[in-house]
Amino acid sequence: MSPARARTSHDQIVAAGRELLEAGGLDAVSMLAVAERVGVRAPSLYKRFADRGALIAAIGAAALEDLGRRLLPLTQDPDPAAGLRGIAAAFRAFAHRNPHAYELLFMNLPPGSRPPAELNALASAPLLQVAQRLVGSERALEAARLVTAFAHGFVSMEITGAFRLGGDVDEAYRYGVDVLVDALTAARADRLPRTIEPNEAPPP
Amino acid sequence: MSPARARTSHDQIVAAGRELLEAGGLDAVSMLAVAERVGVRAPSLYKRFADRGALIAAIGAAALEDLGRRLLPLTQDPDPAAGLRGIAAAFRAFAHRNPHAYELLFMNLPPGSRPPAELNALASAPLLQVAQRLVGSERALEAARLVTAFAHGFVSMEITGAFRLGGDVDEAYRYGVDVLVDALTAARADRLPRTIEPNEAPPP
DNA sequence: ACCTGAACACCGTTCAAGT
DNA sequence: ACCTGAACACCGTTCAAGT
């Protein structure tokens, strides 16, 4: 007659998972630990998530949405080169702030527990938009992939401690972004031989 | 009086681990599965490896040495730009051939189970050498990090299926390598304003 | 409808006992 | 000196029984 009242929720479970993730890495996100943190027993979690993989996937999706929301406003800069620098900096800052969530975003997950394509598109859109303004529509996807690969590879190596030859890591990131911005700006210049000033006639 | 004869060896165990790794991912490298494959019982593995983490670390070290050995000969190309292209291609090919081992190489491991610094240096040396010939000693480390970050980020995203916006992924890699090679070649040109021909006097 | 205790499978790890 | 069976701890997961 009196069905048991819900003592937790999907969102509360995901939030607890994210906290455990940042505090102790993926191993710390056990069904026991999550359940304890939200005040139920482990078996109850299976009412809302098919298994641990589904819960981890939901945590990753939440983090991806978070990242996308942070990158979005940076496309507003009228200078696409400045926009690209801003996105590169914000991307790295996000990874530094949430290293374990970041790791999860780029983890090799079974196809079933990847974030929904729409979320993926939302997080990719800002860079794609800036890249298009920088190098034109034809090469926008390749340029965006170049920048994403560099930025992801760099912060991923940073987080896992793969830069072990000394040197200034901040400086190396700045150098990499500089080289990429210059190269992509030049790539546009190759196609549009010179800037068209307001009062100047367009080239033939 | 008759101590039990060794029925396996460190190297045999590592080899079995690598096979299981490529066949079924890291989860498939269980102490039970490895032991069965080499013909002993799981507890015997602890005679040679402190724990599963140490075994995984040894598997990673073996893969890293493998990678380093494949990159080394590519530094012989007299043209550093061609050398860089070769290294970029070989790096990607290695990742495609051994995706799970590759993943392991760039995994976030506890400091204790990272590969020894000498192995790391050995795998980094080829690119560092080519980068130095391309952009000069002063920026060699930054340039090598730029290329490594791009290549790692790219193949890592490839492996984990992160490129989900269509397009030609091979073409995107080629585009990225081209842009980097051109940019780094230009970077050298910036410092040495023009090439000195054999019969030409050096600039003042 | 959601929650729970009890139980099971699986895996890493330890250890006393074998040769 | 290395190998083994037995045992333990831990975790994901299932399920019948509660409200």
Side-chain angles (χ1 to χ4, degrees), chain A residues 38-93:
Chain A
V38 300
V40 299
R41 301 290 179 170
S44 298
L45 300 179
Y46 293 83
K47 280 289 150 182
R48 307 177 203 271
F49 298 92
D51 53 23
R52 180 171 178 269
L55 170 53
I56 301 292
I59 295 172
L64 186 59
E65 194 189 341
D66 196 355
L67 173 61
R69 247 201 308 266
R70 281 169 201 281
L71 299 185
L72 192 59
L74 301 171
T75 61
Q76 296 308 317
D77 197 305
D79 175 8
L84 196 152
R85 287 177 199 279
I87 288 175
F91 185 85
R92 184 164 179 241

Side-chain angles (χ1 to χ4, degrees), chain B residues 86-105:
Chain B
I87 289 175
F91 185 86
R92 183 164 180 243
F94 176 87
H96 287 181
R97 236 181 299 115
N98 316 298
H100 287 113
Y102 179 82
E103 214 181 340
L104 176 58
L105 287 188

Side-chain angles (χ1 to χ4, degrees), chain B residues 125-151:
Chain B
L127 179 56
L128 209 52
Q129 199 239 46
V130 170
Q132 191 205 320
R133 288 200 282 146
L134 206 54
V135 305
S137 307
E138 204 174 321
R139 283 306 196 180
L141 184 57
E142 281 83 359
R145 280 177 172 164
L146 167 55
V147 174
T148 305
F150 164 71

Side-chain angles (χ1 to χ4, degrees), chain B:
Chain B
M1 275 265 181
S2 72
R5 273 276 289 164
R7 253 164 259 181
T8 184
S9 67
H10 181 101
D11 287 2
Q12 196 194 354
I13 293 168
V14 171
R18 288 186 79 178
E19 290 161 19
L20 287 165
L21 177 65
E22 280 319 328
L26 200 49
D27 287 349
V29 188
S30 71
M31 298 305 264
L32 251 75
V34 172
E36 183 174 21
R37 188 168 259 262
V38 301
V40 299
R41 301 291 179 170
S44 299
L45 301 178
Y46 292 84
K47 281 288 151 181
R48 306 176 204 273
F49 297 92
D51 53 25
R52 181 172 178 268
L55 171 53
I56 301 292
I59 295 171
L64 185 59
E65 193 189 342
D66 197 355
L67 173 61
R69 248 201 308 268
R70 281 170 201 280
L71 299 185
L72 190 59
L74 302 171
T75 61
Q76 295 307 316
D77 197 306
D79 175 10
L84 196 152
R85 287 177 199 280
I87 289 175
F91 185 86
R92 183 164 180 243
F94 176 87
H96 287 181
R97 236 181 299 115
N98 316 298
H100 287 113
Y102 179 82
E103 214 181 340
L104 176 58
L105 287 188
F106 286 91
M107 191 159 283
N108 201 350
L109 299 169
S113 56
R114 305 240 180 96
E118 45 167 68
L119 250 186
N120 214 292
L122 192 131
S124 314
L127 179 56
L128 209 52
Q129 199 239 46
V130 170
Q132 191 205 320
R133 288 200 282 146
L134 206 54
V135 305
S137 307
E138 204 174 321
R139 283 306 196 180
L141 184 57
E142 281 83 359
R145 280 177 172 164
L146 167 55
V147 174
T148 305
F150 164 71
H152 163 53
F154 195 98
V155 303
S156 145
M157 291 179 71
E158 240 185 318
I159 289 176
T160 60
F163 289 137
R164 300 168 68 183
L165 297 178
D168 184 332
V169 175
D170 290 339
E171 169 66 15
Y173 193 69
R174 212 177 308 129
Y175 174 85
V177 172
D178 282 348
V179 168
L180 290 179
V181 169
D182 290 355
L184 294 177
T185 304
R188 178 185 51 181
D190 286 350
R191 202 170 308 107
L192 304 176
R194 55 183 180 143
T195 304
I196 301 170
E197 296 297 332
N199 287 340
E200 197 180 351

